[in-house]
Amino acid sequence: MVEHGDVRVVHKGGSKINFREPALSTDSRFLLCASGESVKVFSTATEECLHALQGHTDLITGVLLRPSNHLQAYSCSLDGTVRLWDFTDGILIRTYSIGYPIYGIYASAKHEGVIFIITPMHTDTNSELFQLVAVHLPQCGEQLVEAKELSAVLSNISSNPAASAFGREVRIFRFCLWIYSFFLKKDNQKGGKNTFTCITCHPTEDCIASGHEDGKIRLWRNFNHRKEYTYSTLHWHHSAVSSLRFTPEGTNLLSGGVESVLVQWRYNQESQRDFLPRLGGAITHISVSPDGALFCTSHSDNKITIIQSCVKVSAVIQGLVKGDRIRTDLMIEPRSKALVLNGKPGHLQFYSLQRDKLLYNLDIVQQEYIHESGLEQFEVVMAAFDASGSWLATVEERKQKAPELELNLKLWAFDDQKQSFVLNTTISAPHEGRITALCFPHVSDGQTTMLVSTTLLMSVSFHPFLGVVSPDEGPSWSCDFLGAYHSLVPECCCFSADSSLLAVGFQEVVTVWTPASWELLTTLSQPPGAVRDLCFGRLSCSKYLLGATTSRLLCCWNLLTCSLEWVTSMDVSLLLADPLSENMAAFCFEAGSTDLFVFKPGEPRPLFSHKALCSGRVTHAVFVPRETHSLCVYHTHQDSIKQVSDDVAMTPFHLLLGKHRDQLENPQAESRLSVEPIRQPSSSAGINELLQMPAHVLPSASFLCSMFVQSLLISVNKPSEQNKEKEEEMESEKEEEDSDGEMESRISRPEHMPSGESGCAAPALTKEEVRELRRLKKLDHSWMKGLLD
């Protein structure tokens, strides 16, 4: 079985870039945003990711520019640390250990060396009570510093950073912050909801703007007079205001919400406002660059839009789109090797795993999406590619109830000139019920292909592509065969590797068909429980057919004998076959987490297993073909893409730093090795840091060469003469012991000798006699040979 150290589970991409408010650099050239456990630095001009600042070990919850240095930024995380970065060069400057999970971070230009963080009020990480804490950052040269001077400022606050804001007169005296509280009734007499959703402070005046659940914005003034404060109301949003931000000069107020419209209000002239509509998903955060040249908005579809002073959109940074749920499977587009899955409503997204970047969206529904809760709209629920990537089949449906179900099956052809898929055929209501499975054969002759679909109404449809009808018309699709089995409902189907067989699961019965004549070849029975997943073996294991059932069983049939080869008890939520090998992957749900098993159907033991791969159930995964092997990529309930990989290139840099990295990532792996590991150079950590530094801040190569080579050498101390003598004595004693045993075994009396031969046996020698014989054996008897000659 493969050890865990040989196969690693790594985060591949797809993290949220809209989780927290992004930060724009002072010169508006860079944009920083939290992305999972790293901070990504993008160019606002080219949209390219310049750096991925890595070091945190848990979710990053805030990114903030350092007020005293416009080239540095802070980041905070649930791992209990605050890290200071040089984001232009991608260098970690210092790590401050706080010791508590951090949910937000603030800073004031008037208080250098002090930051404010949001932490739980109790040591329990599940506590829902949070507090604002002032942290004095120690000024020292060490890279890892423990921040011990913490002071509580405010208790019982929200963990959402948008619910707190710092104004121009933030006065700290003995760690007491002047706090102002405003009160509104939760609901007013007209049915409005006054709940606060966000807050921001005017940069130059005593004015606070607050957003509310009923879509209103309130501007609070005169709050220095305690109870005599006043407020005015602005109203345009029809739903909750999600974000507010003043421009640096304070002349404009920006607001956004679910309408996906950026509204710009003139300060003290609230009747004048400008709009920038149709920005995409709902606006979740608004940021403004310190020079006021750029605005940026984060959206619910994991997108950041960069705007030039509320006039026009200059750049769009799109991450992996986070829909309500993934209805399609994870697929690999055969031409570009892009990952394909549900994107924004009514679309399929093509995502590059190598670049961690969205390539493009394909509009499947081709209807304008209306952002209104409760409104039933068309949704892409299934998709499949043929083996060559020439055809794409999609299923879209509206309304969840079967009697009112609207269903469309669409066939898309790849256009070489447009380098995209173009709609070829639309089949309205291809079945009377919901489609349960959709698949193409794995191989085709290039002229004809077929598509198989199964439905809840006990039928299987085969839609063959008939080729070109006439020179003036394009290719056409038609239904060639409709099959059923004993009025049972088909729930899954799959083709064999050579596409000569088709397996369809009809509840508890597996049927095997030949696509050449649509003849039912055989049926396979199995223990009670409906079959929910089927998968053929590949290459040398192509004679096996595997199926997962609802009764928590994994069954394997031998197609040569049409019998059940083996069955094991496991709750398989997903079953996959590697297209380049005999390997298969089974994701099993157990005790609230998912386990992964990689195995060959013909071997009794798994090749690799990983317990508690992730929390929750993995329902979507795919093998990504490479030149020599495949990577298993899966989607977690945290909306991120991870891969199981043993893909490590044996480059000189890997030979130099790879083992050191593996020891840092897997400290337990060393104990599992059967041989003693080679001792690494003592300064390998310094080498790693040296290689991560930008070239323009390093000394000359001639200066570093001698130190670098010296650090690679492993010092070997020559043993002293005394140690040599001890080693020789130990070897001599060992030889004597071995010789003793050999001598005694040769000349001692056998224990089970027959009684008739006892008189002829030689007497046993004593230990002194044995030692004397050994001494004589070591003497040099070569002089006797000369006498004989």
Side-chain angles (χ1 to χ4, degrees), residues 378 381 396-408 429 431-435 455-456:
F378 272 106
V381 296
E396 60 188 50
E397 65 180 35
R398 178 165 60 181
K399 203 69 177 177
Q400 299 299 318
K401 296 181 181 179
E404 304 175 0
L405 182 67
E406 296 183 57
L407 200 64
N408 291 324
H431 296 278
E432 295 182 4
R434 178 176 285 114
I435 294 179
T455 177
L456 287 175

Side-chain angles (χ1 to χ4, degrees), residues 126-329:
N126 296 324
S127 175
E128 297 182 357
L129 300 177
F130 298 89
Q131 60 183 347
L132 186 68
V133 176
V135 181
H136 276 260
L137 301 178
Q139 301 299 322
C140 60
E142 299 180 1
Q143 191 169 19
L144 178 60
V145 181
E146 182 179 359
K148 300 180 180 180
E149 195 171 350
L150 309 178
S151 301
V153 176
L154 187 63
S155 59
N156 296 327
I157 67 172
S158 172
S159 62
N160 183 8
S164 303
F166 281 64
R168 67 183 186 94
E169 291 294 338
V170 180
R171 294 170 291 180
I172 298 180
F173 180 72
R174 294 184 180 179
F175 305 107
C176 293
L177 183 67
W178 291 98
I179 304 297
Y180 300 96
S181 301
F182 312 115
F183 299 95
L184 291 172
K185 293 182 179 180
K186 186 175 181 180
D187 298 310
N188 58 29
Q189 296 179 353
K190 296 182 180 180
K193 297 180 179 180
N194 296 327
T195 306
F196 287 80
T197 57
C198 56
I199 190 172
T200 187
C201 298
H202 196 280
T204 59
E205 297 183 9
D206 292 333
C207 177
I208 296 176
S210 61
H212 300 266
E213 192 173 340
D214 58 2
K216 295 181 180 179
I217 301 172
R218 291 178 171 86
L219 300 177
W220 305 81
R221 297 180 176 88
N222 301 325
F223 43 80
N224 281 327
H225 298 86
R226 300 293 178 172
K227 294 184 179 181
E228 297 180 5
Y229 58 79
T230 60
Y231 67 84
S232 59
T233 302
L234 311 177
H235 195 188
W236 180 87
H237 300 276
H238 77 272
S239 189
V241 180
S242 59
S243 184
L244 289 171
R245 187 69 62 221
F246 279 102
T247 56
E249 300 82 6
T251 55
N252 296 306
L253 173 65
L254 306 175
S255 65
V258 72
E259 305 86 1
S260 188
V261 177
L262 181 64
V263 184
Q264 182 173 242
W265 308 80
R266 297 285 190 270
Y267 186 66
N268 289 329
Q269 297 176 351
E270 287 78 10
S271 60
Q272 298 182 13
R273 52 181 181 244
D274 299 320
F275 303 95
L276 188 61
R278 295 184 294 275
L279 293 177
I283 295 177
T284 56
H285 303 99
I286 300 174
S287 299
V288 183
S289 62
D291 60 1
L294 293 181
F295 307 155
C296 73
T297 55
S298 300
H299 299 266
S300 58
D301 55 357
N302 203 29
K303 177 177 68 177
I304 297 177
T305 302
I306 300 174
I307 304 165
Q308 293 181 352
S309 300
C310 204
V311 176
K312 65 176 182 177
V313 174
S314 62
V316 175
I317 300 171
Q318 178 69 70
L320 187 70
V321 179
K322 312 297 183 181
D324 295 336
R325 55 175 174 165
I326 296 179
R327 299 292 300 273
T328 66
D329 291 329

Side-chain angles (χ1 to χ4, degrees), residues 623-667:
F623 274 102
V624 182
R626 295 289 183 90
E627 293 183 358
T628 58
H629 63 285
S630 298
L631 303 177
C632 184
V633 178
Y634 65 95
H635 183 269
T636 67
H637 69 285
Q638 292 97 346
D639 292 330
S640 62
I641 302 294
K642 295 187 177 182
Q643 74 176 21
V644 182
S645 171
D646 59 352
D647 184 18
V648 180
M650 298 304 294
T651 63
F653 283 105
H654 173 261
L655 296 174
L656 178 63
L657 302 174
K659 293 183 179 180
H660 177 73
R661 180 202 62 188
D662 294 340
Q663 291 177 0
L664 293 178
E665 294 181 352
N666 303 307

Side-chain angles (χ1 to χ4, degrees), residues 70 130 188 429 512 562 719:
H70 66 279
F130 298 89
N188 58 29
V512 181
C562 296

Side-chain angles (χ1 to χ4, degrees), residues 91 143 653 656-657 683-701 703-709 711-712:
I91 300 175
Q143 191 169 19
F653 283 105
L656 178 63
L657 302 174
S683 59
S684 58
I687 298 172
N688 194 4
E689 183 178 355
L690 179 68
L691 294 177
Q692 290 179 354
M693 296 181 64
H696 65 275
V697 299
L698 289 174
S700 62
F703 179 78
L704 294 174
C705 182
S706 59
M707 290 194 307
F708 182 76
V709 173
S711 66
L712 298 179

